Amino acid sequence: MNRKDQRCPCLSGDIYLACCARFHSGAALPSTAEWLMRSRYSAFACGDTKYLLNSWHPFTRPKRLELDEGISWRRLDIVRTERGGLLDKEGVVEFIAHYRENGIAAQQHEVSRFLKTDHRWYYLDAGPDNSAEQSMAV
Ligand SMILES: [Zn+2]
């Protein structure tokens, strides 16, 4: 199976090659916080830890990252965005990422913060109103 011809995991409607692949390969930079979020979600789905680390702000970037092989990412819902546009320096994206862990459906609900440094968006952290515990009950 060639992922490049498949629907992009971020569910933009485009095939992967025409969508997040250009960010993962470094051919393009996401112009908005939402696109960085989408491309990071796709990187989780593709297991692209290098991209996840590279798009993590140096302030908060972990030394290394290991993805849980038991998790398969199914769908990304962007709930809302605040700022994060072409002329902004910071942005917030609230999302719900749906996944299955060892066959059991679950979701991660997070309010992520993004910062732009040197014309490039980075993931900073999960904001203070992170409602992760709430999603555990779903
Ligand atoms: Zn995509």
Side-chain angles (χ1 to χ4, degrees):
M1 231 168 30
N2 188 350
R3 180 178 285 281
K4 290 187 165 83
D5 298 324
Q6 291 176 355
R7 205 157 61 129
C8 188
C10 82
L11 300 187
S12 64
D14 279 321
I15 60 167
Y16 175 67
L17 192 61
C19 191
C20 294
R22 65 206 147 115
F23 305 130
H24 295 168
S25 70
L29 289 174
S31 55
T32 65
E34 181 178 341
W35 269 109
L36 183 73
M37 174 61 226
R38 286 180 170 279
S39 67
R40 283 178 55 84
Y41 170 83
S42 291
F44 271 107
C46 300
D48 189 341
T49 49
K50 189 166 160 249
Y51 182 78
L52 288 166
L53 289 171
N54 283 342
S55 60
W56 213 305
H57 200 282
F59 290 164
T60 51
R61 181 187 296 155
K63 287 224 165 21
R64 75 180 103 91
L65 185 64
E66 270 177 42
L67 299 181
D68 189 334
E69 306 246 319
I71 290 184
S72 73
W73 296 93
R74 295 308 176 95
R75 195 176 90 229
L76 174 68
D77 290 332
I78 303 286
V79 178
R80 76 189 163 93
T81 59
E82 261 174 55
R83 302 181 301 281
L86 296 176
L87 301 175
D88 294 313
K89 289 255 182 275
E90 51 179 65
V92 170
V93 179
E94 180 177 358
F95 66 91
I96 301 173
H98 300 263
Y99 62 93
R100 291 182 84 83
E101 184 167 16
N102 302 317
I104 297 162
Q107 52 184 270
Q108 180 182 348
H109 186 176
E110 189 178 307
V111 179
S112 292
R113 297 195 297 173
F114 297 86
L115 271 187
K116 192 158 68 181
T117 303
D118 294 332
H119 310 289
R120 205 176 151 164
W121 282 106
Y122 291 95
Y123 169 72
L124 183 65
D125 59 10
D129 46 350
N130 180 5
S131 49
E133 24 347 273
Q134 189 186 314
S135 68
M136 298 295 280
V138 173

